[in-house]
Amino acid sequence: MVDVNDFVPQGAPIVRIRNIEQRAGLEQAQASLREAQARFIEAEAEYKRIRGVYERQLVAKAQMDSVTATLNAAKARLEAAQAGVTQARESLGYTIINAPYSGIVLERHVELGESIQPGKPLMTGFSLDELRVVVNVPQRLIGPVRQHRQARCCAEWRNSIAAEKLIFFPYADPQSNVFKVRVYLPKKTGGLYPGMFVKTAFRVGEDQRLTVARSALVQRGEVSAVYVVKEGQVNLRQVRPGRTEGDQVEILAGLEAGEQVALDPIQAGVYLKERPQIGGQ
């Protein structure tokens, strides 16, 4: 019902097996159920009639016991017939294979008209709902990585993604001495596909860094600067930026902790140009 590269939602039928025998079994079970229901209604009516006569002591107890046994037998046959219908419907349901998860069909292992047996692969697909990244971590870093258990994955065209959980392989590769780590991404993470490469950053410790908002950084040629606000005055000061993480930029030199910077460099520049005119007035 689907082919390679088709997207299939969860629960959608992907393979239908010829079900003539199973459908005939269901029809037979349903006919047996209708017969059992009729027998039960008949036995129940006879039981009520004899019971009313027995309460007036017009029939023997043996006859009352006989209709009671007939009713119980009819009830048991009815329950068996109901179970037979349930089993037949389940057998018929086995002839339709539904997608266990939403995803894309990667390979089809059967052709139309081919006979199959239990255990034979039918289709292979991959899900985009739950993705994980496999990373090789050097032996010298596996200790702090295990301790902190935090990671972020980043592709070149999107922001980093915090991992939901990490699973560590209990042994190192004897050839390369690296440990394999599975990094599980949040469900329905968009923009990533199986087989792609991404960068993974693990937390291995803590350090204090001086950072400013990326919007506060002014770039003029090769010079980076920020507008520093101090005692009501605004001054442009050259700084040396470092790494950028999200909307924060590390400042390696030119700024001290606690100093205030203008988050809107354009407004700060306008203020700086107009300040002498305001002072002259």
Side-chain angles (χ1 to χ4, degrees):
M1 303 179 68
V2 295
D3 209 340
V4 176
N5 294 329
D6 288 345
F7 176 80
V8 182
Q10 183 178 6
I14 57 176
V15 175
R16 179 178 288 119
I17 303 172
R18 189 171 57 186
N19 56 13
I20 298 176
E21 181 180 352
Q22 288 78 8
R23 189 170 295 278
L26 176 59
E27 292 175 355
Q28 182 179 359
Q30 290 174 337
S32 299
L33 176 60
R34 290 193 294 269
E35 180 183 2
Q37 288 173 337
R39 297 292 184 185
F40 177 76
I41 293 174
E42 180 183 5
E44 188 177 32
E46 180 67 11
Y47 171 81
K48 291 180 179 178
R49 187 181 67 83
I50 297 298
R51 181 177 179 179
V53 177
Y54 176 74
E55 289 176 350
R56 295 196 300 271
Q57 298 182 352
L58 298 177
V59 297
K61 186 176 183 304
Q63 189 174 357
M64 183 64 198
D65 294 340
S66 177
V67 295
T68 301
T70 302
L71 176 63
N72 292 336
K75 183 178 180 181
R77 284 193 294 269
L78 176 60
E79 293 174 350
Q82 290 172 340
V85 170
T86 301
Q87 183 178 2
R89 283 177 177 168
E90 186 172 356
S91 298
L92 181 62
Y94 290 155
T95 63
I96 299 179
I97 312 301
N98 298 319
Y101 50 81
S102 60
I104 299 175
V105 179
L106 186 64
E107 187 176 359
R108 190 178 70 182
H109 302 285
V110 292
E111 299 295 336
L112 184 64
E114 182 179 349
S115 298
I116 60 174
Q117 299 295 330
K120 178 180 176 60
L122 303 177
M123 286 192 180
T124 299
F126 60 80
S127 172
L128 301 177
D129 293 343
E130 297 184 8
L131 299 176
R132 68 188 184 192
V133 181
V134 180
V135 188
N136 292 324
V137 177
Q139 177 179 330
R140 60 185 178 84
L141 295 177
I142 194 63
V145 170
R146 285 180 181 273
Q147 177 183 355
H148 293 284
R149 292 180 173 269
Q150 293 184 17
R152 301 186 69 89
C153 297
C154 181
E156 296 179 355
W157 60 90
R158 61 169 300 160
N159 296 329
S160 61
I161 308 166
E164 284 199 339
K165 67 175 181 178
L166 276 63
I167 293 183
F168 299 87
F169 280 50
Y171 55 87
D173 183 86
Q175 302 296 328
S176 59
N177 301 117
V178 297
F179 286 82
K180 195 177 296 295
V181 180
R182 288 177 179 168
V183 180
Y184 287 80
L185 301 178
K187 291 185 177 181
K188 299 185 182 300
T189 298
L192 299 178
Y193 299 91
M196 295 176 61
F197 284 94
V198 295
K199 294 181 180 180
T200 305
F202 293 96
R203 180 182 178 187
V204 294
E206 296 181 358
D207 192 11
Q208 290 189 350
R209 302 280 180 173
L210 180 61
T211 63
V212 298
R214 186 164 54 178
S215 61
L217 195 64
V218 180
Q219 197 70 35
R220 294 183 177 177
E222 297 182 356
V223 177
S224 300
V226 295
Y227 285 97
V228 180
V229 181
K230 185 176 182 180
E231 296 178 355
Q233 302 295 321
V234 178
N235 297 299
L236 184 63
R237 186 185 302 176
Q238 182 179 353
V239 295
R240 182 157 61 94
R243 295 184 305 174
T244 299
E245 179 66 27
D247 60 349
Q248 296 292 313
V249 179
E250 179 185 3
I251 303 299
L252 302 177
L255 195 65
E256 298 293 334
E259 290 187 296
Q260 293 184 346
V261 298
L263 297 179
D264 191 340
I266 297 178
Q267 292 295 330
V270 172
Y271 172 79
L272 193 60
K273 289 180 180 180
E274 294 179 351
R275 186 180 57 180
Q277 301 176 4
I278 297 175
Q281 295 176 359

